[in-house]
Structures are given as structure tokens and as C-alpha cells.
Amino acid sequence: MRGFLASSTGVTCAAALALPLAPPAASATSSAPPATSPAARAEAYAPGGTQSLPLAPLARDRAAPGAAEQGLPRRDVRRFSLVGVVWDSPATELHGRVEVRTRTAATGTWTGWQRLETHNAEHAADPGTPESTSGGVRGATAPLWVGESDGVEVRVRAENPPGTARSASPLPTGLRLELVDPGESAAPPANRARTRTEPSVLPARQQAKPHVGPRPSITTRRGWGADEKLRDQGFVYTKQVKAAFVHHSATGNNYRCSQAPSVVRSIYRYHVNSMGWRDLGYNFLVDKCGHIYEGRAGGVSKPVLGAHTLGFNSNSMGIAVLGTYSSKKPSSAALKAIARLTAWKVGLYGMNPRGKTYLKSGGGNLYRKGKRVRLNVISGHRDGFATNCPGKKLYAKLGTARSKAAKYQGR
């Protein structure tokens, strides 16, 4: 069973072969250091790790557990770049508003309040699977990329569930603020010889089979710097890849493409250390410059079982576009990358990107367990689960991605 070794600089994991996650030890909480100068904070910084800080009722609402407003007053913390909030039970929804503000490490300036997406349960392993029933899985907001920061303030306020007039539900128990530092990339320097078995980038390659698009260039886990000691060892596969579900990561659009590997490393740490999953949930990730990254481990051409679309992870793959696309349009480079990736990957399994297919639901809020559902081969997350993902603007462009993918297949 995976154990957690805690220190004041974060959390380190030791994985055991194909065994489920265990809850973090109580000592995994790291308290923030006292206020210090920027120079002293820089000297104390050690890259990589997760700070997990418990939230508490705010001054005007110190009544009892589940108080209507909890948070963390402004404070100094060790450097981090991605922030999220987790709680004890993944079955409990957080009906409310989660907002954070952070201090930029380079300038010492504070941002305005930024809101985190609260409903993240739809990105998860299917009900009843070993990954979902490990006992270490937690409820969580979507994480937010804020760039290198060394100060934080958070507030969580309960609100009425949508469409109801009743009073606000109590906040979930065990609310904690997760501050993730992506650490340094484990990728080798560009001038170092690489072995065939451990490439950093899989170059684009033309396929010989009919209706299989050319494989696009893919940055492997080694390339973006995955720490393979964090995840569960071993791989889990389904039979084939009949559909691709497109997501947005909801981590915000305030990143440079040169930072994308750090964003991916941060999401990986958040999914594994903070949310309790066996590995990164998505099979692939795409940045706004059109670069493609290998997600969950197991082989880019294989039908790796992910944790991306609750109820429809079997015989599918999940592609997350880094960013939030509720009101912002995705880049043409990102759409082209989705098309190239799907033309190749679903083509390996004989699927037409402009076509339809059937998947059996594993259970969710749209389809009961066991129901055969007709879906587009390239679907949005919201087609399998009632959610805003992949955002209104990205969802509206999936027709374009289907057409482009079919052309890449020669259809």
C-alpha cells in the first residue's frame, strides 16, 4: 500500500505494485513558515512537493464543523504554482464559491480574487473500480495555475445548490488547501543521448495502414518530467479506443507554452497526491500552442484506462486542453492538435472521427449503469456527464476537430 512520507517541504510518495492509495498521514500537513523577507523565502525554497493546509471557520462564522464560510487568512507559504481545495469524501459535492488570491514570488504583488471550479467529481474513475474505491480518493475543486507564488489567501462560502430555494448546504468536512510546486523536470538535457526505450519526444510518423492518421509528435512522460515514483506502479488497460472525450483542464489560461510541462507536472501531483488517484487522470494533454503530452502511463498507442469521464472511461481516451474555455475560444493550434491526435489514435482501432459509436455507461448523472449510449467518436465531456466541461467555446469547435481528423485519416 502506498505510504506518504511527510516533511515540512511537502509530501513524498512511495508506490507499491498495483495497490490502491492510502489516505495521507495526519503529519502530511505542513504549517506555513513565519513571515520573512523575499530573499529569505527564496533561500528556503526547495522545488517539488505539496503543502496541505487545513481550512477553518472564518472569524465571523466560528460556530461548528461545516460552517457556512471557511478559509485561510493571508499568509506566507513556500513557493507553489498551482492551487486547489480538497475534502474528505468524493461523494460530497461542494455547493458554494471557492476563491483564492496569491502573491507573485518575483514581484511580491497580490492578485485579485480568482474563482476555482468546484464540481470536479465528473473527472474520475468509474464507480466501483479499484481506483475509485481505494479509500484514499478525495473530493476536490479543479486546480488553478497561478505561476510561481509565495503567499496565499482563500475563502470558501456555502451557497444554495443551483435551482433550489432551500438554505445553503453545509460545507464538506476536511477542507484543505493544496499548494503544488511542480518541481524540476526529470527530462535529460537536450544534448544527452537518449535510448530508444526512454525517448523524451515521440516524433511524428506517417502510418502505412488506411484510415490511420499520421502519428503526431508527442512529448512523453519522460519529456515533461514525470516523477514515476508518485503513481501506482503497473498499468490498467481496456479492450480498445472507440471514442475520445475532449476536456478543458479548467486551470486558467494564464500560462506560457514554455510553462506547459510544469502545468502538466502540477496537475499530475494534484491528481495523485491531493485527490488520491493512481496516476494523472487524462490520457493526453494539449497546450494552447498545439503541443501534445502523454498523460496516464501505459503507452501512447495502447488502450490505457484513464480517470477522465465518470462512467465512460472504458474503451475511450481523455484529452484535456490546458486552460479554461467557458468564455475564451481555443486556439487553432490546439484544435489542430486534437484533430491530429484523434485521427491517429482512434484510427489505430478502426474508428472514423466523424462517426458515431456505442459505449456502455459505468454509471453517472446522465446515464444509468449498464446503458448503451450512442456518442460521437469525438465527444465533449458534457456528452457523457452533466457538466460545463470542456467549456462552451471549446465544445462549439468539436465539429471542426471531427472534420479535420477525418481528413487526416484520408476520409
Side-chain angles (χ1 to χ4, degrees), residues 257-277:
C257 290
S258 61
Q259 295 176 311
S262 294
V263 178
V264 176
R265 289 198 303 276
S266 297
I267 295 172
Y268 174 43
R269 286 183 178 273
Y270 188 71
H271 282 183
V272 176
N273 286 349
S274 301
M275 297 181 68
W277 294 357

Side-chain angles (χ1 to χ4, degrees), residues 219-235:
T219 300
T220 64
R221 289 172 66 91
R222 180 180 176 85
W224 56 258
D227 182 350
E228 301 297 356
K229 297 187 299 295
L230 296 181
R231 64 173 176 85
D232 276 5
Q233 300 304 296
F235 313 114

Side-chain angles (χ1 to χ4, degrees), residues 24-318:
S27 60
T29 302
S30 61
S31 57
T36 55
S37 68
R41 288 196 300 269
E43 288 179 5
Y45 169 64
T50 301
Q51 300 170 74
S52 186
L53 306 173
L55 304 189
L58 296 178
R60 58 182 175 275
D61 191 13
R62 295 190 179 277
E69 189 169 13
Q70 296 186 35
L72 190 73
R74 183 184 295 195
R75 65 190 297 176
D76 291 353
V77 291
R78 295 176 185 84
R79 291 193 190 183
F80 67 98
S81 294
L82 181 136
V83 58
V85 170
V86 302
W87 53 92
D88 291 340
S89 173
T92 303
E93 291 188 5
L94 194 163
H95 293 294
R97 178 182 291 265
V98 181
E99 296 175 309
V100 299
R101 56 187 311 208
T102 56
R103 183 179 59 205
T104 304
T107 64
T109 58
W110 285 85
T111 68
W113 288 103
Q114 300 180 80
R115 189 168 181 175
L116 277 62
E117 275 198 17
T118 56
H119 301 296
N120 202 34
E122 61 265 25
H123 304 81
D126 287 353
T129 60
E131 184 171 0
S132 69
T133 58
S134 69
V137 181
R138 302 168 198 90
T141 67
L144 179 69
W145 175 263
V146 294
E148 194 169 276
S149 305
D150 60 6
V152 69
E153 183 178 4
V154 62
R155 59 191 185 194
V156 181
R157 183 178 305 146
E159 294 179 346
N160 291 347
T164 68
R166 60 188 176 87
S167 59
S169 301
L171 293 173
T173 59
L175 286 167
R176 306 182 72 84
L177 180 67
E178 301 287 291
L179 304 175
V180 182
D181 186 285
E184 302 296 335
S185 172
N191 60 353
R192 184 185 300 174
R194 304 185 183 105
T195 66
R196 281 189 174 184
T197 56
E198 294 182 323
S200 291
V201 177
L202 294 175
R205 186 176 67 193
Q206 182 67 45
Q207 300 294 310
K209 297 179 181 179
H211 301 315
V212 178
R215 186 184 70 192
S217 175
I218 300 172
T219 300
T220 64
R221 289 172 66 91
R222 180 180 176 85
W224 56 258
D227 182 350
E228 301 297 356
K229 297 187 299 295
L230 296 181
R231 64 173 176 85
D232 276 5
Q233 300 304 296
F235 313 114
V236 182
Y237 299 101
T238 59
K239 294 180 179 179
Q240 56 187 319
V241 178
K242 298 172 65 178
F245 286 98
V246 178
H247 307 254
H248 65 175
S249 63
T251 48
N253 304 308
N254 191 26
Y255 71 92
R256 300 186 303 275
C257 290
S258 61
Q259 295 176 311
S262 294
V263 178
V264 176
R265 289 198 303 276
S266 297
I267 295 172
Y268 174 43
R269 286 183 178 273
Y270 188 71
H271 282 183
V272 176
N273 286 349
S274 301
M275 297 181 68
W277 294 357
R278 75 184 317 273
D279 193 355
L280 203 158
Y282 308 113
N283 298 102
F284 295 94
L285 303 97
V286 172
D287 69 26
K288 57 190 174 185
C289 291
H291 304 125
I292 301 170
Y293 304 86
E294 177 186 12
R296 181 161 288 208
V300 295
S301 64
K302 296 182 179 180
V304 178
L305 177 66
H308 49 83
T309 305
L310 184 69
F312 291 100
N313 291 302
S314 291
N315 298 325
S316 72
M317 69 174 182

Side-chain angles (χ1 to χ4, degrees), residues 293-383:
Y293 304 86
E294 177 186 12
R296 181 161 288 208
V300 295
S301 64
K302 296 182 179 180
V304 178
L305 177 66
H308 49 83
T309 305
L310 184 69
F312 291 100
N313 291 302
S314 291
N315 298 325
S316 72
M317 69 174 182
I319 305 168
V321 182
L322 298 179
T324 304
Y325 298 99
S326 301
S327 57
K328 181 178 177 61
K329 292 181 179 180
S331 68
S332 58
L335 291 172
K336 183 177 180 180
I338 293 170
R340 286 194 176 278
L341 177 59
T342 52
W344 168 69
K345 185 65 180 278
V346 304
L348 293 176
Y349 297 88
M351 303 304 297
N352 181 347
R354 267 200 300 238
K356 304 275 189 178
T357 190
Y358 282 92
L359 292 177
K360 183 185 291 187
S361 172
N365 63 1
L366 278 182
Y367 302 104
R368 59 174 174 78
K369 184 176 181 178
K371 181 177 177 60
R372 290 182 75 242
V373 182
R374 191 168 184 256
L375 295 160
N376 287 306
V377 169
I378 299 178
S379 285
H381 186 183
R382 64 178 64 183
D383 295 322

